[in-house]
Amino acid sequence: PPNHFKVLRPREFEVHEISKHGIEIHEKFSWISDEGTLPLYMMKKYCIDTLEALRKVKKVLNAGRVGFAGLKDKDALTYQLVTIECTEAPKYIRLGNVELTLVGKVSKHLKPGDLWGNKFIITIDVDNVERVKEVINEINNIGKLLMFFGYQRFGTRRPQTHIVGKFILKREWSKALEYILGHPYPTESRKSQEARRMFDEGRYRKALKLFKDLGLRYEVLVLSKYIETNNPYSIYRRSFCS
């Protein structure tokens, strides 16, 4: 039963990327490539998503294009490879909760899918040791651990990304936009709920100001362009496909 297992703080959840060559990316990673001139970094991050971490890096290094093989969890300590197009490539850089170590040079950028998989290290607080043993025996008897898709895939504060995806697939752009910007959830902060109610009521500029105050970058990006164009489909193309 779920109450026997409790995931602890994000530092007790580690994600180690495994490259397409089968190399595990971890804390003590060393130089692995001299195949080109494009800097290859091992990026270690904590409590920040991959895209936001790379935005910080690009700003500090005044970098051009960046590449990565896969997105890593925000609420975790994660390790992954990234490529960064920059004039001067420092061997090490630390930006708060993001650290980069130069580990090689490659000929082309990493792209989504350029990995074998991920290794997860999860520390749990165990209340019932006997139950844990039973679960391990059950897994061994089955021979595999079945994939489970829960809130980790759909969002915790706003479990609605699958709904947005459904409307995008159905090409119902207005509905997708509504679920990106509106439909407040009780699990969000009061200010976030207020901003989404304003959007639902058509008070777009007031909603935009609140989204900016909250630092909700994607909402600001999408709503700004929607106010500019009044065209949900163009928002989708410009915001997510550019």
Side-chain angles (χ1 to χ4, degrees), residues 200-218:
D200 288 339
E201 294 166 1
R203 295 186 287 167
Y204 300 147
R205 295 193 180 278
K206 289 187 176 181
L208 179 62
K209 183 180 183 306
L210 266 183
F211 283 138
K212 287 180 178 178
D213 292 344
L214 290 164
L216 296 176
R217 182 180 181 277
Y218 295 112

Side-chain angles (χ1 to χ4, degrees), residues 103-120:
V103 295
K105 298 288 182 69
V106 292
S107 58
K108 59 182 180 180
H109 276 290
L110 288 170
K111 63 182 185 300
D114 282 345
L115 75 166
W116 184 86
N118 295 290
K119 175 181 177 180
F120 299 96

Side-chain angles (χ1 to χ4, degrees), residues 17-28:
E17 183 173 271
I18 301 175
S19 77
K20 62 181 179 181
H21 301 297
I23 301 171
E24 180 184 338
I25 315 304
H26 52 74
E27 181 77 52
K28 297 181 180 179

